[in-house]
Amino acid sequence: KAKLDFILMYLKENPNQSYHGYLHHISQSKVSEWVSYLLPVLEESLAKMCVMPQSGYYYQQSDKEVDYLLVDVTERQVVRDVDPDNQKEFYSGKKKLHTMKNLAITDQDGYIEFISESYMGAVHDKVIWDQIEIKLKDHNLLADLGFVGIEKSCPNAILPFKKPPKDELTLLQKQINQAIGSARVRIDHAFSGVKRLKIIRNKIRLKTYQVRDQVFRIAVGLHNLRTKRGKPIINLT
């Protein structure tokens, strides 16, 4: 239990390792050692509880009953790289920060079914989509205008109408856009649930790609655990 408290507190509060060591009466090097050991243990435990999402470059929709699915990309801030070329790759023009991003697919309840590998912040949302093989059933997939063009490879995709140049949307188009936006708020709430962990919401200090990716997967698993048990997914912290 003490080790579980140790790693969950570390993820939730994102403390400096020296400070975390002070709280637990151990050295900074021992904190680093424990974090490296406990992260895989926590991820494996969440997998045994069947709350980890599918991940990687392939998504096969499960047999779980859903009304529709939602897709979007979330970003999280990382420490600026010392290499100028890497700085450009990690820089997100949207966030004006150095970030990593993941594509996610959720159901209508905000349960995250799939997350992609982590990408550098400069990569466009549609580029991430194009690198993933996605197998859906007959359910609709609601996306935003960052995914314009996915309807060619995914007939079930539904995107809002884009305002024509020098023209206005019709009343019906506006109503459809509003309905799509109202449904898509669930994926925003899901991302807020993941970012209840300050290590995701704030700048992550862990520097290797593998650990950053692992931490994000764990954060999603913890969010899914709360969702599965009926807890609110809206970030109230």
Side-chain angles (χ1 to χ4, degrees), residues 3-41:
K3 290 181 178 179
L4 178 62
D5 289 342
F6 173 91
I7 193 63
L8 290 178
M9 184 184 298
Y10 183 81
L11 296 173
K12 180 65 171 70
E13 299 301 329
N14 192 28
N16 177 285
Q17 288 191 355
S18 296
Y19 178 72
H20 202 55
Y22 172 78
L23 293 178
H24 293 271
H25 308 291
I26 58 177
S27 67
Q28 183 274 326
S29 61
K30 183 61 70 172
V31 171
S32 180
E33 180 183 331
W34 277 28
V35 169
S36 298
Y37 171 73
L38 291 173
L39 285 177
V41 174

Side-chain angles (χ1 to χ4, degrees), residues 3-221:
K3 290 181 178 179
L4 178 62
D5 289 342
F6 173 91
I7 193 63
L8 290 178
M9 184 184 298
Y10 183 81
L11 296 173
K12 180 65 171 70
E13 299 301 329
N14 192 28
N16 177 285
Q17 288 191 355
S18 296
Y19 178 72
H20 202 55
Y22 172 78
L23 293 178
H24 293 271
H25 308 291
I26 58 177
S27 67
Q28 183 274 326
S29 61
K30 183 61 70 172
V31 171
S32 180
E33 180 183 331
W34 277 28
V35 169
S36 298
Y37 171 73
L38 291 173
L39 285 177
V41 174
L42 179 56
E43 183 175 16
E44 183 179 350
S45 299
L46 291 169
K48 289 181 179 179
M49 297 174 74
C50 300
V51 293
M52 293 296 290
Q54 295 183 49
S55 61
Y57 297 97
Y58 178 82
Y59 169 61
Q60 173 72 55
Q61 185 179 348
S62 67
D63 294 328
K64 177 183 175 181
E65 297 236 348
V66 299
D67 296 333
Y68 53 85
L69 295 170
L70 304 155
V71 62
D72 206 348
V73 168
T74 182
E75 299 186 62
R76 60 194 189 280
Q77 188 178 3
V78 298
V79 176
R80 185 174 64 178
D81 199 289
V82 296
D83 187 309
D85 292 332
N86 285 344
Q87 288 180 21
K88 293 179 182 178
E89 295 295 328
F90 280 103
Y91 187 75
S92 168
K94 179 180 179 181
K95 296 291 185 179
K96 309 299 182 186
L97 297 168
H98 294 84
T99 68
M100 294 182 72
K101 55 173 57 175
N102 298 78
L103 180 144
I105 295 176
T106 78
D107 64 17
Q108 73 280 355
D109 296 320
Y111 188 93
I112 300 177
E113 300 278 348
F114 169 82
I115 55 171
S116 71
E117 299 291 325
S118 297
Y119 286 79
M120 294 180 178
V123 180
H124 192 273
D125 297 1
K126 176 63 163 50
V127 173
I128 301 177
W129 169 275
D130 289 338
Q131 294 184 11
I132 301 169
E133 184 179 358
I134 295 179
K135 300 290 185 182
L136 301 179
K137 297 181 180 179
D138 295 328
H139 297 91
N140 291 326
L141 179 71
L142 306 186
D144 63 19
L145 291 175
F147 292 91
V148 170
I150 69 171
E151 61 274 16
K152 297 176 183 177
S153 59
C154 182
N156 293 348
I158 299 178
L159 280 73
F161 290 97
K162 186 176 181 179
K163 183 177 177 295
K166 300 180 181 179
D167 202 352
E168 296 293 333
L169 296 176
T170 66
L171 177 60
L172 178 59
Q173 289 173 329
K174 290 179 180 178
Q175 291 173 336
I176 292 173
N177 283 0
Q178 184 176 15
I180 293 173
S182 296
R184 280 182 49 78
V185 74
R186 299 304 298 170
I187 196 167
D188 293 330
H189 289 170
F191 290 156
S192 294
V194 174
K195 292 179 180 179
R196 289 177 68 172
L197 299 185
K198 291 182 181 178
I199 201 166
I200 300 297
R201 184 165 80 247
N202 301 336
K203 185 187 300 183
I204 186 170
R205 298 185 183 90
L206 302 174
K207 294 184 178 180
T208 65
Y209 170 87
Q210 291 79 8
V211 174
R212 289 172 176 177
D213 200 48
Q214 182 180 50
V215 165
F216 186 77
R217 292 195 304 270
I218 290 171
V220 171

